[in-house]
Amino acid sequence: MSTKHSKAAAKFLENKKQAAWHDETLWLVRAKRDKLSKEVPEWEELRNMACATKSYSNSHLDELLVEFETNARANGATVYWAKDADEYCTIIYNILHQHGVKHFIKSKSMLAEECELNPFLEHKGIEVVESDLGERILQLLHQKPSHIVLPAIHLKREQVGELFEREMGTEQGNFDPTYLTHAARKNLREKFIHAEAAMTGANFAVASTGEVVVCTNEGNADMGVSQPKLQIAAFGMEKIVPDRESLGVFTRLLARSATGQPITTYTSHYRKPREGGELHIIIVDNGRSKILADQKHIKTLNCIRCGACMNTCPVYRRSGGYSYTYFIPGPIGINLGMLKAPLHYYDNVSACSLCYSCSDVCPAKVDLAEQIYLWRQDLEKLGKEDTMKKVMFGGMEFMMERPSLFNVAMGVAPVGMGVLKAFGLSWGKGRDLPDFAKESFNEMWKKGKVK
């Protein structure tokens, strides 16, 4: 069994103060989600509707995506279909190349991360600027997002202040968040003004209207597309929703689940090209069709990328996003990584306590923990099962099937545990071996103490 995750987590935990801050900050976001959700009496009904709508959409993609394409073309947009990451990147490059674009600004898009768009375009000589503040910070640090909604959550403001001193010439030692935000805004303003093309992802795509919907708190998506006449939008095909009525269900769930706010500051609908401009929309598969055929894991396509599963996950909160080998961390990332390449990302499957908190908070009712459990059952078939765990479980099974042997073992266990504790042994770091009860349940039952 690979130990990539455990080693990376151990490195993250070396800075105990920052690790504790990471845990507490994300739990605060989870608590805000709980508060907001409890203020909506029909919250569970909305979750059921979201799950049902996603199930319908994913089983009618052939109809809904064609409906979207038809309506988008009628709106004046140009629509493309990309079967994989290579086609997605090539289509975008060709559009930019045909228009002579050298300065390209984009808002946050996990699809772009998935398809590694930025390095592809930069290799072709095109400057790519991330306009989301967190993404911009990471771009300057040459780092990847550690969270899908809060990409720079692993960084403290002091670190951002030091970065801005080097990159933007800000005041030394000034890491006031408001000051740093204004400095970033001033720096980005020039990038917005000189951009020759802008790109957004899409939180949702509405089949009945042919529009893409982008939810942000910074307004950077709107700012990006407001100046250049060339606009590109791209989305994974599972982002389709039938109509605006169903869209309303998801917008009520998204921000509350993601950041604990009633709705994002901006919910922008891009439907037509600006006057004298062009709107290009790319619909991307990149393995999603394959997931459709996997009945055990098809509900992964329900995900609306809110990040709630990460905010609640005790493993993610205490190990950080970079401890996962797939570019999306946390419970949803474990599942997506296994669907992408199980032999490459199997090590993440162990980064789960099976507490099921992720399944409980998911707004679209993705059965995240249940799917992780199923992946664990497949490890032996993949040739990646932990040998030590297999031996231990085999021994436990052998003993449990033999009551007399089990009772003997329980009788000597307190003595054995005492010997181990006397030598200072423990169950993992930070855990003491437990004290056995003076009476076992069997003994209590035989004496009539329990019924």
Side-chain angles (χ1 to χ4, degrees):
M1 172 66 75
S2 170
T3 57
K4 291 178 184 176
H5 182 274
S6 59
K7 287 181 178 179
K11 185 177 181 180
F12 175 80
L13 290 166
E14 287 175 0
N15 188 335
K16 292 181 173 58
K17 186 176 181 180
Q18 186 147 338
W21 172 82
H22 186 270
D23 178 23
E24 292 164 5
T25 301
L26 286 164
W27 184 252
L28 178 64
V29 180
R30 158 68 205 270
K32 288 170 67 179
R33 172 262 176 205
D34 291 350
K35 181 178 183 296
L36 266 289
S37 65
K38 287 180 173 61
E39 293 176 2
V40 181
E42 65 275 23
W43 181 257
E44 289 305 316
E45 183 182 350
L46 288 172
R47 292 182 70 212
N48 289 332
M49 291 172 68
C51 183
T53 302
K54 277 290 187 179
S55 296
Y56 172 81
S57 297
N58 291 332
S59 61
H60 292 76
L61 282 178
D62 55 336
E63 300 172 16
L64 293 175
L65 290 172
V66 171
E67 181 184 358
F68 174 89
E69 179 186 32
T70 301
N71 289 323
R73 290 187 189 279
N75 294 335
T78 304
V79 181
Y80 308 78
W81 299 76
K83 68 179 180 182
D84 55 26
D86 287 342
E87 279 196 0
Y88 161 86
C89 291
T90 301
I91 290 168
I92 293 173
Y93 171 71
N94 287 340
I95 295 169
L96 299 179
H97 180 67
Q98 289 164 13
H99 290 78
V101 173
K102 291 297 180 183
H103 305 285
F104 184 48
I105 197 157
K106 59 186 287 291
S107 63
K108 187 160 72 70
S109 167
M110 292 311 293
L111 179 62
E113 290 288 341
E114 176 185 334
C115 298
E116 299 184 331
L117 176 65
N118 288 16
F120 178 88
L121 294 179
E122 288 163 354
H123 181 71
K124 299 283 189 179
I126 296 174
E127 180 196 38
V128 182
V129 175
E130 295 286 353
S131 61
D132 173 270
L133 178 56
E135 291 279 352
R136 181 62 176 156
I137 290 167
L138 295 178
Q139 185 178 35
L140 293 172
L141 285 169
H142 306 288
Q143 292 183 8
K144 297 289 186 181
S146 68
H147 189 289
I148 59 175
V149 174
L150 311 166
I153 189 64
H154 60 288
L155 298 172
K156 299 196 76 172
R157 60 184 182 177
E158 292 86 350
Q159 295 168 285
V160 178
E162 292 171 1
L163 170 69
F164 282 15
E165 284 177 33
R166 297 194 303 269
E167 298 290 338
M168 302 178 194
T170 55
E171 296 174 8
Q172 186 174 359
N174 190 342
F175 46 82
D176 174 71
T178 302
Y179 171 73
L180 295 177
T181 301
H182 282 296
R185 181 179 295 171
K186 181 179 179 181
N187 177 266
L188 278 170
R189 184 59 59 93
E190 291 300 311
K191 302 294 183 181
F192 281 122
I193 291 172
H194 293 102
E196 297 146 344
M199 177 180 172
T200 71
N203 293 92
F204 309 101
V206 185
S208 65
T209 60
E211 64 192 343
V212 296
V213 180
V214 179
C215 305
T216 70
N217 279 322
E218 299 173 19
N220 56 300
D222 294 334
M223 185 69 183
V225 302
S226 65
Q227 188 276 130
K229 291 187 176 182
L230 177 58
Q231 178 185 354
I232 301 172
F235 62 89
M237 62 188 194
E238 83 283 7
K239 294 296 183 71
I240 199 78
V241 296
D243 48 40
R244 283 182 172 176
E245 184 178 359
S246 54
L247 172 68
V249 172
F250 291 105
T251 53
R252 294 188 70 195
L253 289 165
L254 178 62
R256 288 180 171 89
S257 298
T259 52
Q261 59 188 120
I263 194 167
T264 49
T265 308
Y266 302 90
T267 301
S268 307
H269 296 239
Y270 302 121
R271 186 173 180 178
K272 296 182 178 182
R274 59 180 298 180
E275 187 175 345
E278 299 176 22
L279 172 59
H280 299 259
I281 302 174
I282 308 163
I283 303 170
V284 185
D285 185 336
N286 201 36
R288 287 157 177 80
S289 294
K290 182 181 175 182
I291 299 174
L292 281 173
D294 190 334
Q295 289 304 307
K296 289 195 299 184
H297 301 288
I298 189 173
K299 283 183 74 174
T300 305
L301 293 175
N302 283 18
C303 175
I304 61 173
R305 302 295 193 270
C306 68
C309 61
M310 300 176 192
N311 301 336
T312 197
C313 177
V315 179
Y316 171 84
R317 296 198 325 266
R318 292 169 174 83
S319 63
Y322 294 148
S323 62
Y324 299 80
T325 51
Y326 192 58
F327 83 100
I328 293 178
I332 184 61
I334 293 173
N335 285 295
L336 289 171
M338 290 300 286
L339 286 163
K340 186 72 174 180
L343 292 176
H344 191 69
Y345 297 114
Y346 69 90
D347 58 289
N348 298 318
V349 174
S350 295
C352 173
S353 66
L354 290 179
C355 68
Y356 281 64
S357 184
C358 53
S359 297
D360 291 340
V361 301
C362 177
K365 290 199 164 183
V366 180
D367 50 347
L368 293 157
E370 292 87 342
Q371 290 190 37
I372 292 172
Y373 176 79
L374 291 175
W375 285 121
R376 286 186 177 180
Q377 310 316 302
D378 289 342
L379 289 179
E380 183 176 14
K381 182 173 65 179
L382 294 169
K384 298 298 181 181
E385 186 178 35
D386 188 291
T387 303
M388 181 61 71
K389 288 181 180 179
K390 186 175 182 179
V391 171
M392 290 174 61
F393 289 143
M396 291 293 291
E397 182 181 15
F398 181 84
M399 183 175 66
M400 295 288 188
E401 290 176 347
R402 292 161 177 80
S404 57
L405 179 61
F406 175 81
N407 289 328
V408 170
M410 289 299 100
V412 300
V415 177
M417 190 67 72
V419 172
L420 292 174
K421 293 182 75 171
F423 282 94
L425 297 175
S426 64
W427 175 49
K429 292 182 180 179
R431 296 189 179 99
D432 294 326
L433 289 170
D435 291 320
F436 269 73
K438 294 180 179 179
E439 278 187 303
S440 69
F441 178 85
N442 279 353
E443 291 170 338
M444 294 173 69
W445 181 75
K446 288 175 182 178
K447 294 176 183 179
K449 294 183 178 180
V450 292
K451 295 181 181 180

